[in-house]
Amino acid sequence: MVRRAELFLISVLISLVTLAGSLPAGPTLPSGEPVPRYELRLEVQFDPSGPRFTGHERLEYVNGEGAALSELYLRLYPNSGLTYGAGALGLAEVKVDGTPVEPLLQSGGAIALIPLREPLPAGGELVLELDFAGIVPQNFASWNGSSYGIYDYSGGVLKLANWFPILAAYDEAGWHLDPFYNWGDAVYSETANFEVSITAPAEQVVVASGTELEQTPNGDGTVTHHYTAELMRDFFVAMSPSFRRLTTQIGATQVNSYYLEGDAYGGQSALEIAAQAVDLFNRRFGLYPFPEVDLLETPLPWAGGVEYPGVVLISDKLYGPEDYMARQELQFAMIVSHEVSHQWWYSLVGNDVIREPWLDEALATYSSGIYAQELLGPAAYQALRSDWEANWRRARAQASAPITAPLEQFYNNSIYYGIVYCGGALFYDELRATLGDETFFAGLQAYFARFEYGVAKTEALLAIFEEVAGQELDELYDRWLFAPVGSAHGGAG
Ligand SMILES: [Zn+2]
């Protein structure tokens, strides 16, 4: 007879042996947990009718979820409409461990259930292979007034957010297959390793997550760009013949500012702000671990900026000649520093951007406030804080969802911004005043260190500040974060 404890030990040993024999190449999480490894091939063609792309994906997946899985889920975001407009992403030749399988498409093709012939045990691994092809909408403004322009071809700039089938996030609640909305971000995904080759016409300047290892001319007017991105939770690609680059070094990180031809003044200004922000956030939050971060000026009709791992998009509407930019100096610095801080909050410390969007957005907004205080001075911070208060007051008159509510409870971008970004930043302002600088930043650093590459939850963030402060903060938390907001709210403003 084997006692239960011995059985447990045996099963641990078996799973250790299974893991040791079959770990995919590339780094694991600091906890030793394996991460998926994507090998992606992307080929982009520009026809007179617009850009098209085809690709191949090979995904090595080790089941680190602690439970057997009877299927996998892939998200095909470009089939979701909304911000992806008339875009599409199709699948073909799907194989699991070399055997063809028939994916079951759901939600208008935006979700693919990949059936497994037998359940994949915890620690078991498989290789998923598939071909894909995509269509990219053009000139967003003409077809969708709410597109961010993240999956789009306009003004000679091709942006490919979510161009490949990506694993849905999985946690103790199971697979996350939430829809998204016409406000906020769409993609909740987990840290993975990427090896990516991108073939495009030679005149295209390619900007992507990760680091470019080399370029290979193919002798037919195209070039293949080879990228690696380790421990990132998504892989973004953009290209245009009009991108120009300025660059500087902050510690071990190369900061690149790509701007559209003719906007060198804005490109230089963005580079300086981003470099200062990386330096400041390295000191305040913890070290950015990657060798590169890219800023990218691009047409974005309805957003000031959008964040991806290793790449930050900034709207071309904010760039211009010196006198134009001088009139909106604070706004430009706030948008650039907000988006740069998302490399810490969202990219490194992940969160469910559909169910707990405040985790990254409130902190990114407050991070731009830290930038204002330390780089621009107290008057700039006061101006920013007044702006947060005005937006927070305005939004509270229109909705009652608390700062920590899921995305679905905010009815549009303006309410969402006022409550989650501005109300959330004001919460951090009061939290910092309550705890003092030393304890407040020790809390942020502990949060970053504990969840770097992982996924944080609201409860854990709040517990860390109580732990570091050595005091209960329930009254502050309830008043700011959980009580319905409404106009009777007792918080600042
Ligand atoms: Zn943001």
Side-chain angles (χ1 to χ4, degrees):
M1 183 179 163
V2 183
R3 282 177 300 162
R4 285 176 84 156
E6 287 163 335
L7 261 180
F8 174 71
L9 189 63
I10 289 166
S11 73
V12 167
L13 284 173
I14 290 170
S15 63
L16 282 177
V17 169
T18 318
L19 283 175
S22 59
L23 274 179
T28 62
L29 296 180
S31 63
E33 199 183 308
V35 299
R37 177 171 181 273
Y38 291 86
E39 265 177 49
L40 299 165
R41 235 173 28 231
L42 170 66
E43 291 179 25
V44 181
Q45 283 114 32
F46 292 84
D47 296 339
S49 60
R52 287 184 298 115
F53 66 86
T54 55
H56 182 79
E57 173 168 332
R58 183 177 187 280
L59 169 61
E60 293 173 12
Y61 178 74
V62 178
N63 178 1
E65 312 299 357
L69 298 172
S70 52
E71 67 264 315
L72 299 180
Y73 282 94
L74 298 174
R75 303 291 305 252
L76 283 71
Y77 285 101
N79 297 329
S80 309
L82 298 178
T83 195
Y84 300 92
L89 181 61
L91 285 181
E93 305 285 330
V94 184
K95 291 179 188 145
V96 175
D97 291 331
T99 304
V101 299
E102 200 55 51
L104 293 171
L105 297 180
Q106 307 172 356
S107 299
I111 295 172
L113 182 159
I114 308 296
L116 302 179
R117 282 205 301 186
E118 48 196 68
L120 184 69
E125 75 165 273
L126 58 75
V127 175
L128 176 67
E129 283 199 82
L130 54 86
D131 293 333
F132 59 87
I135 298 169
V136 186
Q138 299 183 59
N139 304 317
F140 37 65
S142 63
W143 52 259
N144 183 343
S146 58
S147 166
Y148 294 156
I150 55 174
Y151 183 79
D152 169 82
Y153 181 60
S154 296
V157 178
L158 177 65
K159 276 159 290 170
L160 297 177
N162 318 114
W163 52 277
F164 61 94
I166 189 168
L167 278 170
Y170 185 99
D171 62 19
E172 61 281 359
W175 293 102
H176 282 249
L177 306 174
D178 293 316
F180 57 91
Y181 301 90
N182 238 344
W183 53 92
D185 294 310
V187 178
Y188 171 29
S189 57
E190 295 181 84
T191 295
N193 294 324
F194 295 91
E195 299 296 326
V196 183
S197 67
I198 302 164
T199 301
E203 69 274 15
Q204 294 290 327
V205 178
V206 175
V207 178
S209 298
T211 307
E212 184 166 2
L213 301 175
E214 56 171 350
Q215 298 184 4
T216 322
N218 297 313
D220 62 353
T222 68
V223 171
T224 300
H225 305 254
H226 301 273
Y227 280 82
T228 183
E230 292 180 334
L231 299 180
M232 282 194 169
R233 61 184 75 244
D234 199 353
F235 195 96
F236 176 86
V237 175
M239 60 186 72
S240 171
S242 309
F243 290 151
R244 300 290 177 269
R245 186 181 75 157
L246 292 164
T247 188
T248 189
Q249 190 78 20
I250 296 294
T253 300
Q254 186 176 330
V255 181
N256 298 317
S257 170
Y258 289 89
Y259 60 92
L260 294 166
E261 195 175 11
D263 278 340
Y265 181 81
Q268 180 64 35
S269 173
L271 180 72
E272 285 164 16
I273 295 164
Q276 287 170 330
V278 169
D279 181 49
L280 174 65
F281 301 152
N282 272 344
R283 286 184 281 114
R284 285 305 204 178
F285 308 150
L287 214 54
Y288 178 77
F290 300 127
E292 186 178 327
V293 64
D294 300 325
L295 265 81
L296 182 59
E297 179 195 2
T298 172
L300 286 180
W302 309 109
V306 184
E307 68 279 11
Y308 291 96
V311 182
V312 160
L313 312 184
I314 306 290
S315 173
D316 62 350
K317 295 197 300 281
L318 301 167
Y319 289 67
E322 188 170 355
D323 58 335
Y324 173 82
M325 296 200 64
R327 289 197 295 274
Q328 44 176 346
E329 212 174 353
L330 179 62
Q331 190 201 6
F332 190 68
M334 292 303 93
I335 289 174
V336 172
S337 58
H338 174 110
E339 301 303 339
V340 168
S341 81
H342 271 305
Q343 297 304 313
W344 281 258
W345 320 125
Y346 149 70
S347 174
L348 289 161
V349 174
N351 60 289
D352 183 340
V353 300
I354 308 292
R355 297 189 194 181
E356 298 191 298
W358 89 284
L359 276 176
D360 64 310
E361 292 302 350
L363 208 37
T365 306
Y366 188 68
S367 297
S368 68
I370 296 171
Y371 178 94
Q373 282 174 321
E374 302 204 18
L375 275 305
L376 307 175
Y381 181 69
Q382 275 318 311
L384 184 64
R385 198 177 177 288
S386 303
D387 193 50
W388 290 341
E389 283 172 353
N391 281 301
W392 165 235
R393 222 177 0 248
R394 177 188 47 71
R396 277 160 52 201
Q398 300 168 56
S400 61
I403 288 168
T404 49
L407 208 48
E408 64 182 339
Q409 291 185 26
F410 305 98
Y411 309 113
N412 59 48
N413 253 321
S414 157
I415 291 172
Y416 176 57
Y417 176 75
I419 293 178
V420 172
Y421 290 54
C422 299
L426 291 165
F427 156 73
Y428 280 109
D429 182 85
E430 188 175 327
L431 178 66
R432 181 172 168 184
T434 305
L435 301 183
D437 278 10
E438 201 179 319
T439 305
F440 176 75
F441 284 110
L444 279 186
Q445 285 166 18
Y447 175 62
F448 179 71
R450 197 169 307 172
F451 291 103
E452 188 178 12
Y453 308 115
V455 173
K457 296 273 160 67
T458 296
E459 265 173 44
L461 167 73
L462 301 184
I464 285 173
F465 277 111
E466 289 191 326
E467 203 177 293
V468 171
Q471 68 180 98
E472 297 264 318
L473 297 165
D474 294 353
E475 187 278 328
L476 179 78
Y477 290 167
D478 288 341
R479 177 162 47 86
W480 272 104
L481 301 177
F482 299 106
V485 293
S487 45
H489 186 273

